[in-house]
Amino acid sequence: MPRQTTAYIDLEALRNNYRTACARAGSAAAMAVVKADGYGHGIAQVALALADVAPKYAVACIEEAEAIRAAGISQPVVLLQGVHACDDLGDCERRHFEPVLHSEHQLDWLARFERSGDFPRFWLKINTGMNRLGFRPDDLHAVMARLEKLGADSRLLGFVSHFACADDSNSPMTATQTTTFEAATSSWPELMRSVGNSAAHFIPGQPLFDWSRPGIMLYGGSPIIGKTGPELGLEPVMSLEAPLITTRVVKAGETVGYGGAWIADQDTPMGMVAVGYGDGYPRHAGTGTPAAIGGRRIRLIGRVSMDMLAVDLSDAPAARAGDSVELWGRTVGVDEVASCAGTISYELLTGITRRVPRNYLKHLA
């Protein structure tokens, strides 16, 4: 019998979070971002759960878009990282993928389709200050002139950009980027525009234009510094659970785990849980990181091992081997665990490894 370490996925919570994104997007439509294997939740299952409500999906790369098609889903799929080879543009045209073109070499690839005219529908990325991908605003008129010369301008859907600091409500950079984006694209009001990541949905008065791009918020994680998902009205989608495999009393003065990093200051009931960094649980989650058993919050002690971690059972004295421990979920938020580990919920959710099975539920109790 396999161990019972499992990631339970609440698909109705996912749908509710998408509805929240739509409500917060106002007049903008919301393309569901399902990259990185649906943020670790399973791209096919996530996309299928949203298939009757999401008019468009967004992924990072073409192999993720192919996974959506393999699941039998026909909605358009935006490739946020564009394409990585010229031939991929032909696949995009045939498969109704919408690549985001962001570099001159991608325009060179596009030129190879000039003779046939079989251009895919595509977007242009505008670099408004993130300085990762995209054409500079001052170069946009030249880019548009080149597209018109190629005859590809009729296949251009619109413009996208990405915010660098939308998670920080005190940063003026989002407003600056928005102004830059509006000015850069003002000559083409007939084309669509998209800038709104998850965090932008929570900025009062922030324009989201034609399409927003909710990502982490769909999965219940917080996109805002200092806030948790539930505080923003989001429901947790993944509940990571693992069995308690033994219990014992650690005597005062004894240590637990590698390096003797935790020393008991009194006799302490302790349990070992069958999950570790080999499963994607963060190694840097130290003593005091919350977990839960039977709805009662407990804490980690000592270092996280590859396959196990230790918990203090002082606040759950009835716990026994075989009981299920929630590492994050409805009692303990993934944002809380991420904060204790010095990271963000995005990393935790996408980091759950293949040896942890996903169990898809209509709704968690």
Side-chain angles (χ1 to χ4, degrees):
M1 178 179 177
R3 65 182 187 149
Q4 298 303 299
T5 301
T6 303
Y8 294 95
I9 310 299
D10 184 342
L11 295 175
E12 189 58 33
L14 172 78
R15 289 167 60 85
N16 288 341
N17 291 337
Y18 178 78
R19 294 184 187 105
T20 297
C22 291
R24 300 195 72 91
S27 62
M31 63 177 80
V33 182
V34 297
K35 62 182 180 175
D37 196 28
Y39 284 60
H41 294 67
I43 188 170
Q45 293 83 356
V46 164
L48 283 168
L50 297 174
D52 64 336
V53 290
K56 196 187 292 280
Y57 297 94
V59 297
C61 48
I62 197 166
E63 55 266 36
E64 294 175 336
E66 292 286 2
I68 292 176
R69 289 290 179 265
I73 297 170
S74 60
Q75 280 98 319
V77 184
V78 177
L79 310 185
L80 297 173
Q81 207 173 84
V83 291
H84 296 271
C86 180
D87 289 346
D88 290 345
L89 287 171
D91 290 335
C92 288
E93 195 280 329
R94 288 185 292 273
R95 305 283 274 167
H96 302 293
F97 301 152
E98 301 172 0
V100 176
L101 305 186
H102 53 77
S103 302
E104 288 291 339
H105 71 271
Q106 292 177 327
L107 299 186
D108 293 340
W109 293 341
L110 198 64
R112 300 184 192 181
F113 291 80
E114 180 179 8
R115 185 169 299 176
S116 68
D118 292 332
F119 301 105
R121 295 170 73 83
F122 65 96
W123 300 76
L124 288 180
K125 181 73 168 282
I126 312 302
N127 176 17
T128 57
M130 186 75 161
N131 283 314
R132 295 191 309 185
L133 303 174
F135 298 99
R136 292 188 180 277
D138 291 346
D139 297 331
L140 189 53
H141 279 274
V143 170
M144 293 295 288
R146 184 178 181 187
L147 293 176
E148 183 177 1
K149 184 177 180 180
L150 289 174
D153 55 316
S154 65
R155 303 295 284 172
L156 175 62
L157 293 165
F159 308 100
V160 306
S161 194
H162 194 58
F163 292 137
C165 300
D167 60 339
D168 183 357
S169 59
N170 294 317
S171 174
M173 190 169 182
T174 303
T176 299
Q177 286 188 264
T178 301
T179 299
T180 299
F181 183 77
E182 288 180 314
T185 60
S186 62
S187 297
W188 303 278
E190 72 281 7
L191 295 176
M192 295 185 292
R193 295 180 289 178
S194 175
V195 296
N197 57 5
S198 288
H201 289 72
F202 297 93
I203 300 175
Q206 172 62 43
L208 297 184
F209 301 104
D210 300 290
W211 285 93
S212 74
R213 306 192 303 270
I216 189 64
M217 70 179 296
L218 299 184
Y219 310 95
S222 172
I224 302 295
I225 294 173
K227 295 287 186 179
T228 66
E231 289 173 340
L232 296 173
L234 303 173
E235 298 181 28
V237 176
M238 179 189 291
S239 181
L240 179 62
E241 299 184 19
L244 198 64
I245 56 177
T246 191
T247 63
R248 69 182 64 220
V249 175
V250 180
K251 300 295 185 181
E254 292 183 334
T255 65
V256 171
Y258 286 118
W262 182 80
I263 305 172
D265 58 6
Q266 61 183 3
D267 291 358
T268 304
M270 182 271 291
M272 296 303 302
V273 185
V275 69
Y277 61 79
D279 302 293
Y281 190 86
R283 183 177 182 273
H284 296 295
T287 296
T289 300
I293 189 165
R296 300 176 67 90
R297 290 170 68 97
I298 55 176
R299 65 176 187 136
L300 271 62
I301 51 177
R303 294 182 185 172
V304 174
S305 303
M306 182 180 289
D307 311 304
M308 292 180 285
L309 56 80
V311 291
D312 181 349
L313 296 175
S314 298
D315 292 326
R320 298 292 182 266
D323 289 348
S324 184
V325 177
E326 177 193 295
L327 287 311
W328 62 69
R330 290 195 172 272
T331 303
V332 174
V334 66
D335 298 304
E336 292 183 77
V337 178
S339 178
C340 290
T343 186
I344 54 178
S345 58
Y346 306 66
E347 183 177 17
L348 299 194
L349 295 173
T350 61
I352 297 301
T353 65
R354 291 184 178 182
R355 77 171 180 178
V356 178
R358 276 65 167 173
N359 188 326
Y360 295 92
L361 306 175
K362 183 177 180 182
H363 212 300
L364 292 175

